[in-house]
Amino acid sequence: MITRDPDAFLALVRTLAPDAGPATARGVFLVSPDGFARADESARDNVYMAQAGFDAAAALAEHRQLHQALSAQLPVVAFAGDAATPDALFPNNVFATAPGRVIVGRMRHPVRQREAQRADIRGFFTDVLGYAETDLATQPHVCELTGALVIDRARGIGFCGLSERCDAQGAALMHAAFGLRATLVFDLAPGEYHTNVVLALLAGRAALVSPDGLATPRAMLDVLAALYGPHVVVLSAAEKLAFAGNAISLTADSVWMSQGAAAGLSPASRRGLAQAGLGLRSVPMSAIEAAGGSLRCCVGEIF
């Protein structure tokens, strides 16, 4: 099922067991911020991107620290960056996986469309891991993968926010490509570019959500409460701006976000994560965040 009807979505999802697959990835991949700079095309619809002050050396140092920190939890593969693709440090929008499959997304801006042409990343998944490839990059409907589509892998369900970075047909293509059981499609609030800045689903049992990032927040809050019960952490506007919603669980007992996002969490939000059994882990990412994304955007998952 793919639907814009929250009631129909919830009626189906309530019948689903969390047996679609593992809740968290078995490995991750990163792309180094070589040539880190402001991507003017992407800045047209990314309100989180800084106007100036891009520090390439600081971004590289932060990215190395992220690599080292994540390596303590699971295998990490890192690809080189390219000055011609300054947004490539956010690879989850372009490449994503489901068990045995790699999916290549259709990016909105030409500067990001170039990332999808990388033979080394495609070859790693197809030739090294032996994954089948679903290539959405050449069709006309924008679908920026796990930027636009937030997935509960255990249940096999998705939440897809529409914006200039994903249209309705793109949502349907991703629903099929990921093999999801159900996807709820909804509108992001004006000015929001990616769902994963305002919503995170954590280890199949908790959620972080920013209501002011959603066009119709009440309906989403009701759905999340029905699925994740007391483990829905509602973020304030300030927490969202600090990138607290751009978080990810890579093990069953932890949640990762940037150091700035963690510092900006309210006591209530911290308690909510702790009550869900998720230990908070963070690394500094202030230089990287100038590019309009944070920790979750840097992490591509390998299922």
Side-chain angles (χ1 to χ4, degrees):
M1 169 193 284
I2 179 166
T3 181
R4 292 186 66 107
D5 183 340
D7 294 329
F9 174 80
L10 195 53
L12 174 60
V13 173
R14 277 178 163 153
T15 71
L16 301 177
D19 60 0
T24 59
R26 62 192 180 104
V28 300
F29 62 97
L30 310 174
V31 176
S32 177
D34 300 307
F36 182 74
R38 189 174 190 271
D40 290 335
E41 288 178 10
S42 298
R44 296 173 192 166
D45 59 353
N46 183 340
V47 298
Y48 298 90
M49 190 177 290
Q51 295 297 313
F54 285 71
D55 187 331
L60 280 165
E62 288 177 353
H63 203 264
R64 283 195 296 271
Q65 189 169 344
L66 173 65
H67 188 167
Q68 292 168 343
L70 296 183
S71 294
Q73 284 201 331
L74 76 177
V76 179
V77 176
F79 295 95
D82 183 344
T85 56
D87 285 326
L89 78 160
F90 303 134
N92 77 303
N93 310 145
V94 187
F95 300 97
T97 68
R101 277 174 288 141
V102 59
I103 302 155
V104 186
R106 168 64 158 84
M107 306 304 291
R108 181 185 184 211
H109 297 297
V111 68
R112 302 225 61 189
Q113 292 168 11
R114 291 197 288 270
E115 296 172 42
Q117 300 169 16
R118 287 192 56 160
D120 60 334
I121 298 180
R122 287 178 181 251
F124 171 75
F125 287 107
T126 58
D127 300 338
V128 177
L129 295 186
Y131 282 14
E133 183 180 271
T134 299
D135 189 354
L136 304 178
T138 59
Q139 56 79 42
H141 299 282
V142 180
C143 49
E144 298 200 353
L145 300 189
T146 54
L149 177 66
V150 173
I151 303 173
D152 179 333
R153 301 280 185 158
R155 289 181 172 87
I157 63 173
F159 294 80
C160 191
L162 302 186
S163 71
E164 292 175 313
R165 302 291 187 98
C166 181
D167 64 22
Q169 185 58 37
L173 290 167
M174 291 192 297
H175 170 80
F178 282 96
L180 299 177
R181 294 163 162 176
T183 297
L184 180 62
V185 179
F186 54 93
D187 294 319
L188 296 178
E192 296 294 347
Y193 78 111
H194 273 161
T195 312
N196 75 0
V197 179
V198 302
L199 175 66
L201 302 178
L202 306 173
R205 67 172 186 276
L208 291 166
V209 60
S210 172
D212 73 344
L214 307 170
T216 54
R218 185 70 262 163
M220 179 64 76
L221 290 172
D222 288 346
V223 169
L224 294 174
L227 295 178
Y228 304 103
H231 301 317
V232 177
V233 177
V234 179
L235 301 173
S236 68
E239 288 172 305
K240 183 197 76 167
L241 289 173
F243 287 110
N246 199 236
I248 188 169
S249 286
L250 297 174
T251 62
D253 60 357
S254 67
V255 55
W256 288 87
M257 63 181 65
S258 74
Q259 195 173 84
L265 286 177
S266 70
S269 295
R270 285 180 172 270
R271 284 194 302 272
L273 292 172
Q275 289 165 1
L278 297 167
L280 181 59
R281 295 173 179 262
S282 65
V283 293
M285 301 199 74
S286 59
I288 285 173
E289 287 172 343
S294 190
L295 191 146
R296 197 275 170 267
C297 293
C298 289
V299 178
E301 298 162 284
I302 301 174
F303 284 91

